[in-house]
């Protein structure tokens, strides 16, 4: 069982930056691949970024590529999402998720086993 808690969300002006953190419980964090997703109320959940167990492999949605960076610190059981050049359309609740397996479906929410409760990110224009 893995419990995930996101933090770091807030209100920021367009062009600004935020760093989200996702702290995981348990001693097997390094065996989980991690993902970040976001959701606007009434809309489908959207893939943002994913990172492999070791952190060597990372993947991004086209909408955030070049602006967001996902990283992890296995010693701290934490995964991060650095968000730069934020746009109003980045406004959403951001969720981190963990999965035991790793395949090409890193952008599919149903492939993830555990989810956090989310943190709100609001970007004003």
């Amino acid at each position: 069982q893995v419990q995930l808690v996101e933090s770091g969300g807030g209100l920021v002006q367009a062009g600004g930056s935020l760093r989200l953190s996702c702290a995981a419980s348990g001693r097997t964090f390094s065996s989980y691949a991690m993902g970040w997703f976001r959701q606007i109320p009434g809309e489908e959940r959207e893939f943002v970024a994913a990172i492999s167990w070791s952190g060597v492999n990372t993947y991004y949605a086209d909408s955030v590529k070049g602006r967001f960076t996902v990283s992890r610190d296995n010693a701290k059981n934490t995964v991060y999402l650095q968000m730069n050049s934020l746009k109003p359309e980045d406004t959403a609740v951001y969720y981190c998720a963990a999965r035991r397996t790793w395949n090409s479906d890193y952008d599919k929410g149903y492939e993830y086993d555990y989810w956090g409760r989310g943190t709100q990110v609001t970007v004003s224009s």
Side-chain angles (χ1 to χ4, degrees), residues 29-123:
F29 174 72
S30 61
S31 64
Y32 287 85
M34 301 296 295
W36 285 97
F37 291 77
R38 65 188 183 187
Q39 189 169 24
I40 299 170
E43 296 192 11
E44 295 274 322
R45 181 174 54 198
E46 177 187 27
F47 167 74
V48 176
I51 187 166
S52 61
W53 304 289
S54 64
V56 169
N57 301 109
T58 56
Y59 302 90
Y60 298 93
D62 288 342
S63 59
V64 307
K65 203 170 292 183
R67 300 188 297 123
F68 290 12
T69 302
V70 61
S71 62
R72 66 190 296 161
D73 185 339
N74 287 341
K76 295 183 178 180
N77 281 14
T78 302
V79 63
Y80 305 97
L81 185 68
Q82 178 67 45
M83 307 186 294
N84 298 329
S85 302
L86 282 161
K87 305 175 181 180
E89 51 264 44
D90 293 319
T91 295
V93 177
Y94 283 70
Y95 299 89
C96 71
R99 57 181 293 182
R100 288 180 292 259
T101 59
W102 182 252
N103 54 34
S104 59
D105 291 333
Y106 51 80
D107 59 342
K108 303 296 192 293
Y110 57 76
E111 290 284 343
Y112 290 79
D113 304 296
Y114 303 102
W115 292 82
R117 293 191 173 187
T119 184
Q120 175 71 46
V121 171
T122 303
V123 184

Side-chain angles (χ1 to χ4, degrees), residues 11-24:
L11 174 63
V12 64
Q13 288 189 330
S17 298
L18 282 174
R19 188 176 82 154
L20 305 184
S21 299
C22 174

